[in-house]
Amino acid sequence: MGIVQIAIVLIVLILLVKPIGTYVYHVFSNKQNRSDAVFGPFENLLYKLIGLKSFAGMTWKAYALSVLLTNVVLVGIGYIVLRTQNLLPVNPSGIDGMEETLAFNTIISFVTNTNLQHYSGETGLSYFSQMAVIMMMMFTSAATGFSVAIAFIRGLTSRGTTIGNFFQDFVKAHTRIFIPAAVLVTLVLVALQVPQTLQSTINVTTLEGDTQSIAIGPVASLEAIKHIGTNGGGFFGANSSHPFENPSPLTNVIQILSMWLLPAALPYAYGLFSGNRKQGWVVFSAMMTLFLLFLTTVYIAETRGNPVINELGIDASQGSMEGKEVRFGIPQSALFTAVTTAATTGTVNNMHDTLTPIGGLVPLAEMMLNVVFGGKGVGIVNMLMYAILGVFLAGLMVGRTPEFLGRKIEPKEMKLIAIVILVHPLIILGPTAIAFLTELGQGSITNPGFHGITQVLYEFASSAANNGSGFEGLADNTPFWNIATGIVMLMGRYVSMIAMLAVAGSLAAKQWVPETIGTFRTDNGLFAGILIGTVLIIGALTFLPAVVLGPIAEQLTLR
Amino acid sequence: MSNHTDQLRSGRTSLLIAIRAGVTFIVLCGLLYPLLCTGLAGLLMPNQAGGSLLKNGNGDVVGSELIGQKFTDPAYFHGRVSSIGYKADASGSNNYAPSNPDLLARTRASIDEWKQNNPEVPIEQLPIALISNSGSGLDPHITPESAYVQVPRISSLTNLTEEQLHSLVKAHTEDRDLGLFGEPRVNVLKLNMALQEMISRS
């Protein structure tokens, strides 16, 4: 039954890739279509409100600048709100203003679509902050990433000097994708018992006569955008394992599909932009192959369970249930774990810190590779970057000038790609080393032995990949962790974003080379294999030593 | 030179749009969206939106069917381990890694306690889910097996037969969603409410 229910979710996903990918293409190709009549008036109102008059395409520099300016404004306002939430309205639980390094970390965490949470939702945020900062950023950071991915695809597949208008993309991502989808999913979740109320706590007398105060709030509307926007920051500390956030296996499936559909549909949209759908399916199948590899690993590892506990003579046939919920069991927990780190959402329905070592290796490795579907925008951009790298390597092997989608790949693009490929491990492994060398870092490790190494590695991998899930045992709300992960999240988001926009701008401006019999094809199974190989080889070369010290060593010592 | 001033002007335009966009989207996504959702949810589905509260025979709210409660009385069915003691103003667990010695110690203690309170049921039948900490610390469910193994204890402490209790558990076992997703489960609070009623009736 476990495998059947997982397979059905995968089949539903694959069936929806084409319609959703087509819809995304129509939204951003900016050609007239039927949905204009529905969304046009609302969009025109928004264009007026933000003062957008010219819809002319932007160069990659102007596009990147617009992205940065918009994000800086949101960070500024959001930071002030978090620091002064005690003075602002809608604060029924009387929550204090946020401490400065925590506010710094929180605001960066949400503007970068990471949603690493060093605060706890129940006690750290007023309702006003939950709504005006957290929920708002869940929309805007997703729309930002999505727009950048579309602009990157445009650069790869069109000619000229411009890659689209950021503000137009940003507005349309909200009006035609995120807002309607979020309202719909909210209502479905409420129907399936996720609360949505402005009340703050409910006090009850339990069956045994104790008192229990139950934290509640506008949960459903946050859950909807948390997954659709691949954000992952939960309303409650326990995130999607909390029964109010995720009350049943059915809501679990809806949350999985909500976070997975858009990233999975983007390769198809890319195929449509490039005028050759096979290009999209090649990227999709490379992502899916890697995903299935990871999913199988975590499913088997968790079903086998923890040998230390299994030896105690109890009925351990269910697998490792520590940190998991009964309603989800192993299958829905393993699937959720594999998807949340693939789609860089970072929402969790079980505690990743408590996964078996090999089970915990899966989310860690997915964040280290950062190409298996990926969150709003990041995944497809990174995968296409590996595609260019793959073409380059294949070109070197046969001694031809590498070409991708009819454009020559030259030193300028390769240098930019090299920067992106090097920065990712640098901002994971560098800070991990610093954390181990200092008292400030070491002091936060809560699990002894090799697992402590994984805790630290996971925290920085999650920040760098803008994922946001955590090995939550780590006591990370200290100035050291707040500032260190804040910087890593910033670099993880913007260095690659700007470099890849530059690659797109450079490729768009190039002469097209006509396709000949000698052209290396990028739309067949062979190339899918090269792509997977490139990703795995680069990933293994970079991260294997660190992984051996953490989860693999822990697994070997469990007996 | 003119190119330079052009760039400057377009940069300034972008900044102005960015500021106006910031304010617009805070109002739209941060306030209008959640308030619209709250309004619609409260209007269409007030019970679900309010937290699916359970009331006893007198009409008093005794809890939410989604939030687990702490049961210590051995005559009740017990839920899973919760490091936060089912205090629902917070949530979470103590995140023990599989190699953490504290995990082993806690599990051993649970097994010893089980042996003491349930001498009729050997530990080979004790399901792992019952003595492991849920992720939220508020898990409202146990597996059906976890309920059945508690039947002998509860039967010996109440005037109910094992058969009566078995059928009670069976009646409260929820199937997988759509017969497909998730795991079969028993809601401990609902089960204990029914148990209480059964005891008071007999």
Side-chain angles (χ1 to χ4, degrees), chain A residues 269-477:
Chain A
Y270 153 72
L272 292 178
F273 270 104
S274 72
N276 178 357
R277 270 175 281 184
K278 276 193 209 154
Q279 299 278 8
W281 285 118
V282 164
V283 172
F284 180 85
S285 54
M287 288 175 169
M288 194 47 119
T289 309
L290 288 167
F291 176 80
L292 290 176
L293 196 75
F294 286 122
L295 175 64
T296 313
T297 310
V298 64
Y299 181 66
I300 293 176
E302 294 310 302
T303 309
R304 285 197 176 162
N306 180 353
V308 177
I309 302 296
N310 295 355
E311 266 175 21
L312 298 176
I314 53 171
D315 173 13
S317 57
Q318 205 185 351
S320 173
M321 285 302 288
E322 182 72 17
K324 295 191 184 67
E325 303 286 299
V326 161
R327 59 194 181 280
F328 305 137
I330 304 292
Q332 290 290 332
S333 299
L335 181 61
F336 202 95
T337 291
V339 174
T340 187
T341 41
T344 73
T345 311
T347 167
V348 293
N349 81 346
N350 66 89
M351 295 299 126
H352 288 183
D353 216 348
T354 60
L355 289 170
T356 60
I358 299 303
L361 172 61
V362 164
L364 183 63
E366 281 189 299
M367 295 187 299
M368 286 171 163
L369 298 182
N370 206 12
V371 294
V372 187
F373 293 104
K376 284 300 145 301
V378 187
I380 180 102
V381 171
N382 283 348
M383 198 48 130
L384 290 173
M385 175 185 82
Y386 275 98
I388 297 174
L389 188 68
V391 166
F392 179 75
L393 294 175
L396 284 184
M397 283 189 265
V398 295
R400 297 185 61 91
T401 317
E403 291 159 17
F404 186 65
L405 300 179
R407 257 73 62 89
K408 281 201 171 74
I409 307 296
E410 289 172 306
K412 186 181 172 193
E413 293 83 42
M414 288 317 299
K415 279 179 195 160
L416 287 164
I417 288 174
I419 290 174
V420 176
I421 288 188
L422 290 173
V423 161
H424 186 60
L426 184 73
I427 58 178
I428 294 175
L429 301 177
T432 303
I434 294 172
F436 282 119
L437 290 174
T438 57
E439 224 11 72
L440 290 170
Q442 280 181 20
S444 297
I445 298 170
T446 54
N447 278 306
F450 296 111
H451 192 87
I453 297 178
T454 318
Q455 276 190 315
V456 174
L457 201 57
Y458 195 100
E459 182 78 359
F460 285 115
S462 175
S463 305
N466 295 140
N467 179 285
S469 65
F471 268 26
E472 290 299 339
L474 190 74
D476 49 18
N477 180 17

Side-chain angles (χ1 to χ4, degrees), chain A residues 120-145:
Chain A
S120 186
E122 294 96 331
T123 52
L125 287 177
S126 72
Y127 281 1
F128 186 76
S129 302
Q130 284 273 23
M131 297 195 291
V133 178
I134 303 300
M135 218 177 269
M136 174 276 289
M137 286 235 176
M138 286 188 165
F139 279 98
T140 51
S141 67
T144 302

